[in-house]
Amino acid sequence: MIYQSTRHNHETATASQAILRGIAPDGGLYTPTSIPSLNVPLHELATMSYQEVAFIVLRAFLTDFTDDELKECITQAYSQHNFDTPDITPIHSIGNKHYLELFHGQTIAFKDMALSILPYLMTVAARKNNSNKKILILTATSGDTGKAAMAGFADVPNTKIIVFYPKGGVSPIQEKQMVTQTGENTHVIGITGNFDDAQSAVKRMFTDTQLAETISEKGYQFSSANSINIGRLTPQIAYYVYAYAQLIKSGKIQAGDPINIAVPTGNFGNILAAYYAKEMGLPISTLICASNKNNVLTEFFQTRRYDKNRPFYVTNSPSMDIVLSSNLERLVFHATGNDAEKTAELMNELAHHGCYTIDEQIAHHFSNIFADYADESDILSSIKHSFDTHHYVIDPHTAVADIVTDRYIQKTQDATPIIIASTASPYKFPRSVMDALGENDTTDDLILVDKLEAYSHISQPQAVLAIKDAPIRHQSVISVEDMEKSVLNCL
Ligand SMILES: *Cc1c(COP(=O)(O)O)cnc(C)c1O
């Protein structure tokens, strides 16, 4: 299986090379040139554990890893040490809506699903490619990736990780989780800019050959823990396949029945994984792409025009506050029939004018993607409604998907079962949740956490208990211009 850059046909890599490099040297994203099929009868999947399903999926995509290597990575990553339930990703069903809880890992957001395995995959990839350099992970985070990546990479030999987050653009719990991170090899830096500024600067550093040489002299090579890395993306396919298997197992569907999947979307990584699951042969009819007020993707799927020239809103679903959705480039590449030249042209327009429009023929490829968005007051009503009617507490990101799902059902009367990707624990965003429930009367988010516990009767996760008295270890805040300098200072 070959991965190629979305921008040049000749820029190719094996799976392990793509994981090690993170991004292609031309600034494009390594993308599979053909999607493997599942090759296992669906009814058989229903008898498998999460780990077994993950093995089937990863083996199909990461073809230069041996079975033993993959099994070892999977066993280490999806252990009872890292997840608080043996199901790994349990489903909470309410009628036709099936909430796929992706937040039972160490940092209580779905990023744990891939970031608990990425360090193991990367370590194997380095060995396979006889790399004698230490790996320097640069990560831009909208709040959840940073913590999950550090939890995965903390004290992993021969790695160093630097996380950039938008100061003032993440929730207080998210920030506290990051700035209390332990590990000799972890660095956390706030920037006076938004997530897009951080991601763009990080991408620029990855493709700066001079900088690569400078860090190489110090014994390092760059890689990425963002969803631009296929080592992030491919493990995410597994939970959609596993979710389908769970629905068969619980008798909610029969093997072969169609389902829809709704995903609260920011950088387009999680929903792209669902798209790959569909391409592998999982019977998915419609993908529901749910955005918050930063609704650049809604506009794109409705009008064929991607336009980043718009205000950037800091919202109550901060992990989706993104205007430049990196992984859309991969979908566009597939929609053009894997035409790197055409994709490069569109991305060039985006870089120079901030917008591009795709023609109808390309857009035809997206006919089974439904896109809409929810604003902040919608989110609060949805959280309240879910609690009042079903006594189920959802986080603001999941609420975005919930609202857009309801709109989709209202519009189409489609009765197909829907999996809603539940991307974070409500405990990560206690202020918005308690605000929705009308109990937001203190400035201290950790007090709100206790109130949420009293309300929901769900115990506080270890991830929250752990930060309560943890000392702050990282305090620097810098301008976007100083990011490169700060990287060199960390070496
Ligand atoms: C990262 C994140 C998202 C957005 O996922 P993408 O893969 O960037 O589209 C949604 N919700 C939460 C809680 C997240 O952490």
Side-chain angles (χ1 to χ4, degrees):
M1 180 127 169
I2 292 296
Y3 291 80
Q4 76 154 87
S5 164
T6 43
R7 301 188 190 176
H8 286 102
N9 288 331
H10 61 259
E11 203 64 74
T12 60
T14 61
S16 67
Q17 286 166 340
I19 288 173
L20 207 49
R21 291 177 200 158
I23 192 169
D26 60 3
L29 307 187
Y30 285 119
T31 301
T33 48
S34 66
I35 311 299
S37 63
L38 258 177
N39 267 337
V40 178
L42 294 170
H43 63 87
E44 261 178 47
L45 287 173
T47 63
M48 293 181 185
S49 64
Y50 190 90
Q51 292 80 354
E52 288 168 325
V53 171
F55 176 67
I56 285 172
V57 170
L58 289 181
R59 183 189 201 201
F61 278 93
L62 309 182
T63 47
D64 69 332
F65 286 67
T66 67
D67 285 1
D68 284 346
E69 285 167 343
L70 287 178
K71 279 183 184 159
E72 177 66 18
C73 293
I74 288 167
T75 307
Q76 301 273 2
Y78 303 114
S79 70
Q80 289 313 298
H81 175 68
N82 289 340
F83 288 85
D84 67 11
T85 154
D87 274 351
I88 309 292
T89 57
I91 292 179
H92 183 95
S93 297
I94 298 176
N96 221 12
K97 297 198 281 191
H98 306 281
Y99 296 83
L100 175 62
E101 296 187 350
L102 301 172
F103 53 77
H104 289 271
Q106 282 193 77
T107 74
I108 58 176
F110 90 91
K111 305 297 197 291
D112 289 324
M113 296 310 305
L115 285 164
S116 48
I117 194 167
L118 184 66
Y120 297 105
L121 295 175
M122 213 172 258
T123 304
V124 174
R127 193 171 67 219
K128 274 188 170 320
N129 290 283
N130 302 317
S131 168
N132 55 3
K133 297 260 186 288
K134 292 183 188 166
I135 300 166
L136 176 58
I137 310 277
L138 294 190
T139 295
T141 185
S142 56
D144 291 328
T145 289
K147 177 65 186 183
M150 288 188 291
F153 280 99
D155 293 325
V156 171
N158 298 318
T159 69
K160 194 181 265 296
I161 175 162
I162 306 176
V163 168
F164 296 101
Y165 74 97
K167 182 75 190 169
V170 301
S171 86
I173 300 271
Q174 285 178 313
E175 183 168 36
K176 185 101 194 263
Q177 279 187 304
M178 288 192 279
V179 298
T180 55
Q181 177 65 45
T182 56
E184 281 310 306
N185 62 340
T186 64
H187 300 267
V188 183
I189 299 168
I191 63 153
T192 50
N194 62 37
F195 171 76
D196 287 329
D197 299 326
Q199 173 160 263
S200 298
V202 163
K203 275 184 163 180
R204 225 169 16 246
M205 284 191 262
F206 280 145
T207 49
D208 180 337
T209 43
Q210 183 120 41
L211 183 61
E213 223 165 275
T214 310
I215 69 156
S216 175
E217 281 162 15
K218 295 176 187 277
Y220 286 93
Q221 70 180 100
F222 282 131
S223 191
S224 165
N226 284 94
S227 53
I228 54 175
N229 193 321
I230 59 120
R232 258 289 293 277
L233 217 45
T234 46
Q236 292 179 187
I237 301 168
Y239 49 74
Y240 292 114
V241 179
Y242 184 66
Y244 188 90
Q246 293 305 95
L247 290 183
I248 300 175
K249 198 170 167 187
S250 62
K252 298 272 188 323
I253 60 169
Q254 305 273 310
D257 285 354
I259 56 161
N260 296 331
I261 295 181
V263 186
T265 297
N267 221 1
F268 210 76
N270 203 4
I271 193 167
L272 187 69
Y275 168 85
Y276 283 140
K278 178 174 163 63
E279 295 295 299
M280 288 184 89
L282 200 67
I284 300 167
S285 301
T286 301
L287 292 173
I288 298 171
C289 175
S291 301
N292 68 16
K293 200 163 138 195
N294 294 292
N295 57 1
V296 64
L297 289 167
T298 308
E299 183 178 275
F300 174 70
F301 287 112
Q302 292 179 357
T303 69
R304 293 189 277 116
R305 182 178 161 81
Y306 194 96
D307 188 356
K308 77 161 180 108
N309 302 309
R310 58 177 63 231
F312 183 101
Y313 299 109
V314 174
T315 74
N316 55 6
S317 47
S319 305
M320 296 159 68
D321 290 344
I322 294 174
V323 169
L324 265 173
S325 291
S326 279
N327 276 295
L328 187 66
E329 179 169 346
R330 286 186 165 115
L331 187 72
V332 167
F333 173 75
H334 294 309
T336 59
N338 294 356
D339 185 341
E341 211 173 307
K342 177 72 192 169
T343 309
E345 203 179 283
L346 293 169
M347 294 307 131
N348 204 25
E349 275 177 52
L350 180 62
H352 290 102
H353 308 292
C355 59
Y356 63 88
T357 302
I358 55 167
D359 57 37
E360 259 172 65
Q361 206 186 339
I362 299 177
H364 181 71
H365 197 85
F366 309 144
S367 51
N368 43 30
I369 296 180
F370 174 90
D372 207 340
Y373 75 100
D375 69 21
E376 292 173 274
S377 62
D378 292 335
I379 291 173
L380 297 183
S381 332
S382 161
I383 294 170
K384 177 150 178 56
H385 176 80
S386 178
F387 182 75
D388 287 348
T389 19
H390 307 295
H391 214 86
Y392 185 53
V393 188
I394 55 177
D395 100 290
H397 304 78
T398 308
V400 169
D402 202 40
I403 296 154
V404 173
T405 295
D406 287 343
R407 287 208 192 119
Y408 169 79
I409 295 172
Q410 206 168 33
K411 208 163 177 169
T412 60
Q413 302 297 319
D414 186 352
T416 307
I418 300 187
I419 288 176
I420 296 177
S422 184
T423 50
S425 160
Y427 276 110
K428 210 156 185 177
F429 305 94
R431 176 157 305 276
S432 300
V433 173
M434 294 316 284
D435 204 9
L437 301 182
E439 289 286 343
N440 186 6
D441 56 358
T442 154
T443 51
D444 186 342
D445 278 37
L446 289 170
I447 295 176
L448 289 173
V449 157
D450 295 338
K451 287 198 162 196
L452 176 54
E453 183 168 47
Y455 247 80
S456 66
H457 302 296
I458 297 171
S459 319
Q460 297 181 30
Q462 183 52 36
V464 172
L465 296 172
I467 59 170
K468 284 195 162 163
D469 307 307
I472 308 246
R473 297 188 67 241
H474 310 269
Q475 326 215 25
S476 44
V477 178
I478 62 168
S479 68
V480 176
E481 291 70 45
D482 287 338
M483 283 171 64
E484 183 173 326
K485 206 161 59 186
S486 73
V487 168
L488 295 173
N489 281 344
C490 290
L491 299 186

